[in-house]
Amino acid sequence: MSVILAQPALAARFQRVAGDGIVGYADPANELSVRADDTTGTAWVEVTLTRPGAIGKPIVIDDETIRHPGATCAVLTAFEDDVIYRAVHESNWSGRDIVPRGTFTFRT
């Protein structure tokens, strides 16, 4: 008799460069973090999350280096697991205009 064990599910985790900072997600904590680069001058990064096909208020997470030197994080607990999010991120550094940095999707 042989027993086959299923492999444990791998936790989703990523980090993406967002122009003037980093956007990261860590599962199973279900936490999205935004961190503006700690460089000379002021850096600011914002991510807006929506659920494709779902009606509801977007989740906006932003971070900037002057008043908040670490990362700003939010736990995405308002919805069930295995949800697809669309993330739009933009940034600004030292008074330059806000620059759209891209869009990506991820699954919790």
Side-chain angles (χ1 to χ4, degrees):
M1 178 176 165
S2 65
V3 176
I4 299 174
L5 299 175
Q7 293 292 323
L10 295 176
R13 178 179 294 274
F14 67 80
Q15 277 196 335
R16 294 182 73 104
V17 174
D20 298 302
I22 294 175
V23 177
Y25 176 75
D27 192 23
N30 217 19
E31 183 175 70
L32 186 80
S33 295
V34 177
R35 182 180 54 82
D37 287 338
D38 187 12
T39 59
T40 57
T42 303
W44 168 85
V45 176
E46 180 177 279
V47 175
T48 302
L49 298 177
T50 56
R51 294 179 59 199
I55 298 172
K57 186 176 177 180
I59 299 168
V60 178
I61 306 165
D62 63 24
D63 186 65
E64 53 99 358
T65 57
I66 296 297
R67 288 186 292 272
H68 190 262
T72 300
C73 301
V75 176
L76 306 177
T77 58
F79 306 109
E80 66 278 1
D81 286 338
D82 200 28
V83 172
I84 295 175
Y85 285 98
R86 179 176 183 261
V88 176
H89 52 96
E90 57 192 20
S91 68
N92 176 299
W93 181 80
S94 284
R96 161 185 85 207
D97 288 337
I98 294 172
V99 178
R101 295 298 184 173
T103 301
F104 62 94
T105 59
F106 68 97
R107 182 183 302 268
T108 61

